[in-house]
């Protein structure tokens, strides 16, 4: 163990600056701190963003691809990178954040999804006149949707009562976003008109494609990235219903989610592929942003992944001043499983511990203590969870034990009890911080008690 | 560098560590940050909130404290958070809900709904809140919060689990002293008949009980004590607030009547608010009560001096709950000095109050590490109860047992294990027959003292008397 040095003012500044540099915030791809981890071998053998871009370049006319990203793996940043990459290739890219258009905690249906998607695109195009600047877009899809509902005599709430089209458009938008009852009634009313609605949305999308081409030239293809769809989830009261609705949307309606002349990416929850293994075959591609791989499937430390993480942290602060040895630092990298937010949180805790202890270098005991604090955020793990998680740890497969247990699987991903890595194929593992706890609980459950 | 062993020391160290983390994080952070605090104790939450407030104030930042009083208010608290903005910090605290002893599903659902909404609006929160946001909840809701708002959870800067602070046995004794005094107050008013109480409340609202508005205030205080006895704490607090309002309105015109009335009502509100866990309101009322009674005590009458001593006892208890130990000690010392003067003036009615006040003083001394003085105070309290019990056999035995337990535990702290065991044994012999017969606070103290007894016996290297060991083994240690 290295001799402990006292912390002086300059050291306190170092600790504080390093701490601030680890704060969670989305990065732009040209940010000084950005490290292109998915371009190299650190996470997988192929860069999912390059794959998505290539999918669009190589697919004529239009394409639909699915994109999954676990929280904290840099999905937002990577979508921005995708946008830059495509823009450099001459595509006109629009990013639609769908969480402003859905109620994320109620079931979604193809009809309200289509209306929301078209509305989101029309809003994005209207906001930026450089994208199209034409009347078709300025008028917006919301008015068009109200016209459609008037024509088809679909009556939802006070939509038909409002004398002014503007008011009705706004009611539709707000109702979809905030009023579950409104959505439910809309879904019911639209059931007999789905074919016509799909046609109407397709027609609007085509108008958008043509408007963009008129503005930017025939080679300028429109790409729409529909983000945040993966965030739709229910509460404990309706989670199964909500998850099922997402599955129905993407498995049951791939044809309706494809628009002529437009390249589309939908962000989908990571569990969709597990629940419906064939779902990516319905589209032109499906890619997942994994965690940085710190261990190979065999359990051996994975050099390129560790090196990428050293670089990421090194951009933000001089970690060699905090850790007595590279082994200590690697221990932290391995224990946080390549999940960047946990790595940053652990390091922040360690920087505080250094300040608390008035030392600059942390010994292993202090490191373990901070990791234990972080572990506490994941506890308690129930016995039932431990059984299934321990099976994943053994097989690296995330098969659903039963179809109705999807909410549980989603929760494991949402809360990072399970992490996903890639070696070409995707594989899953427990968060290293909870491995011992899970194995202990699982062993206790399988050990027969006396007399049993 | 390991943590001190022993649950109390360890809990205290962990609380301090959590507080230090929160404060340092606030000092080091720039822009938006999010933190969760999980605690079962409102007083711990208050103590953390005040530490953070002081740290922010030192940086010229402000803190907005939001303690929703109802589940509906908790669900809607996000709007307040978003409207506040600024570089300071929003502290959203509702240590309610959970599935265990604190069970209250309505609060749990409110937390879940708040989190679902916050998760959906997390980008808005990040954009609008330029400083910190701290959610303070019961630990049993941790999983609910994680599940309902995984995106928000994933961007947390800190999640602090503040361990349940098992009140030290001595502090439980202090609480018991307080509850016994509350019970005495209730007994003084008489038994509470729910139907009559309703009628009285109705009459009061229609004015037939108080032909003169100022009389209504005194009636309200009396009814508040009855409501306290009926465990209708919020109604009691409301009556007291109305009484205070009336007294304030009349105090300029008839200070000789209404100043003392105001002091009493504030004192009662301090008690009721404390029972409800509304510690800020309790502290504010207790502080004002002390101020009023201090002014009145200048006339030197027994009534006003005992009023001041009672107010100081209440203030001491409230400061102790909020972890302000030094200030609590100062209040306790002043209360004891007044009660002692009154006793020395042959005011026999003050003897019990002096004994309780001395018990409290001993505990407060012990809390700040002044064990020698703590023992002096404790032994004096025990002597007073012994004498009172001798004069009025049976009447003061539970009080003697409580003070005796406190004294014995202090003896254990200074290594006099044999004497400690002797004191605890005597205390338990008095208390055990009361188990299950008196109010639940008695049961709680008996169980705690029973555990102390086992430890004291081990430390003294002696066995517990057989009858006691059997009773304890059967009831508490099995």
């Amino acid at each position: 163990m290295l001799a402990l040095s006292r912390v002086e003012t300059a050291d306190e500044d170092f600790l504080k600056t390093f701490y601030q540099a680890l704060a969670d915030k989305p990065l732009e791809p040209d940010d000084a701190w950005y490290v292109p981890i998915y371009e190299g071998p650190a996470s997988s053998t192929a860069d999912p963003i390059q794959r998505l871009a290539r999918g669009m370049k190589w697919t004529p006319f239009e394409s639909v691809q699915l994109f999954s990203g676990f929280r904290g793996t840099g999905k937002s940043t990577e979508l921005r990178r995708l946008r830059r990459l495509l823009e450099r290739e001459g595509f006109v890219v629009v990013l639609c954040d769908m969480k402003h258009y859905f109620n994320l905690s109620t079931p979604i249906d193809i009809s309200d999804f289509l209306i929301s998607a078209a509305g989101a695109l029309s809003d994005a195009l209207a906001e930026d006149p450089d994208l199209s600047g034409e009347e078709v877009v300025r008028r917006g899809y919301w008015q068009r949707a109200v016209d459609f509902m008037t024509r088809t005599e679909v009556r939802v709430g006070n939509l038909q009562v409002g004398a002014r089209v503007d008011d009705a458009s706004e009611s539709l938008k707000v109702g979809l976003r905030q009023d579950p009852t409104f959505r439910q009634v809309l879904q019911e009313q639209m059931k007999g008109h789905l074919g016509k609605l799909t046609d109407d949305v397709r027609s609007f999308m085509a108008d958008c494609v043509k408007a963009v081409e008129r503005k930017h030239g025939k080679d300028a293809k429109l790409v729409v990235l529909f983000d945040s769809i993966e965030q739709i989830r229910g509460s404990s009261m309706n989670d199964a219903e909500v998850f099922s609705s997402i599955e129905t949307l993407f498995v049951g309606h791939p044809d309706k989610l494809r628009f002529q002349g437009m390249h589309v990416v939908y962000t989908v929850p990571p569990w969709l592929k597990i629940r419906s293994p064939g779902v990516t075959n319905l589209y032109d591609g499906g890619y997942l942003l994994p965690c940085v791989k710190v261990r190979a499937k065999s359990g051996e430390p994975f050099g390129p992944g560790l090196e990428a993480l050293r670089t990421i942290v090194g951009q933000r602060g001089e970690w060699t001043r905090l850790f007595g040895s590279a082994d200590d630092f690697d221990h932290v990298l391995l224990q946080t499983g390549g999940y960047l937010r946990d790595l940053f949180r652990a390091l922040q805790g360690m920087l505080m511990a250094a300040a608390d202890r008035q030392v600059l270098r942390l010994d292993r005991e202090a490191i373990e203590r901070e990791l234990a604090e972080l572990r506490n955020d994941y506890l308690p793990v129930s016995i039932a969870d431990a059984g299934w998680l321990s099976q994943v740890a053994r097989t690296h497969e995330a098969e659903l034990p039963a179809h109705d247990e999807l909410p549980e699987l989603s929760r494991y991903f949402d809360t990072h009890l399970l992490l996903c890595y890639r070696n070409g194929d995707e594989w899953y593992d427990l968060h290293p911080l909870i491995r011992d706890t899970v194995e202990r609980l699982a062993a206790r459950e399988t050990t027969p008690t006396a007399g049993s | 560098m390991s943590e001190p062993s022993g649950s109390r020391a360890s809990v205290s160290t962990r609380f301090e560590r959590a507080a230090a983390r929160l404060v340092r994080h606030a000092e080091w952070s720039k822009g938006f940050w999010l933190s969760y605090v999980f605690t079962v104790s409102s007083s711990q939450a208050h103590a953390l909130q005040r530490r953070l407030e002081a740290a922010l104030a030192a940086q010229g930042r402000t803190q907005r404290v939001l303690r929703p009083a109802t589940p509906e208010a908790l669900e809607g608290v996000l709007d307040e958070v978003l409207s506040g903005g600024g570089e300071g910090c929003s502290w959203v605290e509702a240590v309610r809900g959970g599935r265990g002893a604190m069970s209250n599903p309505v609060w749990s659902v409110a937390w879940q709904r708040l989190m679902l909404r916050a998760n959906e609006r997390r980008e808005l929160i990040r954009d609008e809140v330029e400083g910190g946001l701290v959610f303070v909840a019961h630990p049993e809701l941790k999983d609910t919060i994680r599940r309902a708002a995984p995106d928000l959870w994933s961007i947390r800067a800190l999640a602090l689990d503040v361990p349940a602070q098992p009140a030290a046995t001595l502090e439980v004794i202090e609480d018991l002293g307080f509850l016994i005094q509350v019970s005495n107050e209730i007994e003084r008013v008489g038994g509470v008949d729910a139907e009559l109480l309703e009628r009285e409340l109705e009459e009061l609202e229609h004015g037939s009980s108080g032909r003169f508005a100022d009389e209504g205030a005194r009636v309200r205080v009396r009814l508040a004590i009855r409501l306290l006895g009926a465990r209708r704490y919020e109604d009691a607090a409301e009556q007291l607030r109305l009484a205070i309002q009336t007294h304030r309105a009349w105090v300029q015109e008839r200070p000789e009547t209404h100043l003392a009335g105001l002091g009493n009502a504030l004192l009662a509100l301090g008690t009721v608010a404390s029972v409800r866990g509304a510690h800020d309101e309790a502290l504010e009322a207790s502080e004002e009560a002390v101020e009023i009674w201090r002014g009145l005590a200048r006339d030197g009458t027994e009534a006003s001096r005992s009023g001041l001593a009672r107010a100081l006892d209440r203030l001491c208890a409230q400061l102790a709950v909020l972890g302000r130990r030094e200030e609590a000690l100062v209040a306790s010392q002043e209360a004891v000095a007044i009660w002692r003067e009154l006793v020395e003036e042959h005011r026999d009615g003050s003897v019990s109050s002096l004994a309780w006040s001395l018990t409290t003083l001993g505990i407060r001394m012990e809390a700040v590490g002044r064990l020698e003085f703590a023992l002096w105070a404790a032994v004096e309290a025990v002597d007073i109860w012994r004498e009172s019990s001798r004069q009025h056999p049976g009447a003061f035995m539970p009080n003697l047992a409580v003070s005796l337990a406190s004294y014995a535990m202090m003896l254990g702290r200074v290594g006099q294990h044999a004497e400690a065991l002797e004191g605890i044994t005597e205390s338990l012999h008095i208390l055990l027959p009361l188990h299950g017969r008196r109010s639940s606070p008695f049961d709680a103290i008996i169980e705690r003292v029973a555990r102390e007894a086992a430890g004291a016996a081990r430390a003294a290297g002696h066995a517990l008397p057989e009858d006691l060991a059997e009773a304890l083994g059967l009831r508490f240690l099995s």
Side-chain angles (χ1 to χ4, degrees), chain B residues 5-17:
Chain B
S5 59
S7 65
R8 193 180 171 196
S10 172
V11 164
S12 160
T13 308
R14 286 168 67 189
F15 173 82
E16 286 304 324
R17 187 165 182 273

Side-chain angles (χ1 to χ4, degrees), chain A residues 12 15-16 19-20 24-26 71 99 103-105 177 231 233-236 339 341-342 345 349 351-353 355-357 365 369-370 373-374 376-380 408 411 414, chain B residues 1-3 13-14 17 20-22 24-25 27-30 32 59 112 116 119-123 126 142-143 146-161:
Chain A
E12 169 100 13
L15 295 172
K16 183 177 169 180
Y19 185 93
Q20 289 171 347
D24 183 82
K25 64 168 190 175
R71 279 183 189 78
K99 68 170 170 289
N103 181 326
L104 298 176
S105 49
R177 168 77 183 82
Q231 290 176 26
R233 76 174 63 76
S235 64
S236 55
Y339 172 38
R341 282 181 177 156
D342 266 359
R345 261 191 291 271
L351 290 161
M352 283 216 212
D356 293 344
R357 291 167 171 235
E365 186 191 340
R369 191 166 159 187
E370 292 308 317
E373 287 285 329
L374 193 56
N376 203 33
D377 288 359
Y378 289 93
L379 303 180
E408 297 309 310
R411 179 168 59 84
D414 280 348
Chain B
M1 206 185 292
S2 58
E3 288 181 352
T13 308
R14 286 168 67 189
R17 187 165 182 273
R21 281 289 154 108
L22 192 58
R24 196 186 293 280
H25 176 75
E27 288 168 351
W28 281 8
S29 292
K30 287 197 297 190
F32 171 74
Q59 295 180 302
Q112 189 182 35
L116 282 168
N119 200 56
E120 284 184 14
R121 302 175 78 183
R122 69 182 187 285
E123 295 303 334
R126 284 173 98 156
K142 187 175 175 182
D143 193 45
R146 262 190 319 219
R147 289 174 72 156
D151 302 284
L152 208 60
W153 176 259
S154 80
I155 58 166
R156 73 198 179 278
L158 293 172
L160 300 168
D161 283 290

Side-chain angles (χ1 to χ4, degrees), chain B residues 69-95:
Chain B
T70 62
E72 293 75 22
L74 177 63
E75 278 184 45
V77 81
L78 207 54
D79 292 337
E80 282 186 79
V81 169
L82 290 169
S83 67
E87 287 186 356
C89 174
S90 292
W91 177 277
V92 179
E93 178 190 319
V95 185

Side-chain angles (χ1 to χ4, degrees), chain A residues 47-104:
Chain A
D47 177 358
I49 297 303
Q50 285 287 359
R51 288 280 177 106
L52 280 169
R54 202 170 292 137
M56 294 179 216
K57 284 185 281 182
W58 289 6
T59 311
F61 310 123
E62 74 261 348
S63 66
V64 185
Q65 299 184 83
L66 305 181
F67 181 51
S68 283
F70 289 88
R71 279 183 189 78
T73 49
K75 185 175 61 65
S76 303
T77 303
E78 292 305 313
L79 275 181
R80 289 184 176 96
R81 179 161 73 94
L82 176 63
R83 175 154 75 177
R84 296 267 168 98
L85 223 130
L86 291 167
E87 282 170 348
R88 279 206 296 268
E89 299 279 345
F91 288 90
V92 174
V93 186
V94 181
L95 181 60
C96 296
D97 193 341
M98 296 306 289
K99 68 170 170 289
H100 302 307
Y101 297 91
F102 298 141
N103 181 326
L104 298 176

Side-chain angles (χ1 to χ4, degrees), chain B residues 26 52 96 235 239 274 376 463:
Chain B
L52 181 60
R96 319 282 183 100
D235 290 338
Q239 289 300 327
S274 184
W376 286 351

Side-chain angles (χ1 to χ4, degrees), chain A residues 140-178:
Chain A
Y141 182 72
W142 300 109
Q143 288 183 18
R144 192 164 166 156
V146 171
D147 291 345
F148 172 82
M149 289 161 78
T150 309
R151 280 199 312 277
T152 50
E153 296 186 345
V154 168
R155 298 180 192 284
V156 187
N158 61 359
L159 272 191
Q160 307 307 315
V161 178
R164 295 181 53 218
V165 177
D166 284 352
D167 292 344
S169 303
E170 193 57 28
S171 298
L172 175 61
K173 193 170 169 180
V174 172
L176 283 169
R177 168 77 183 82
Q178 294 178 354

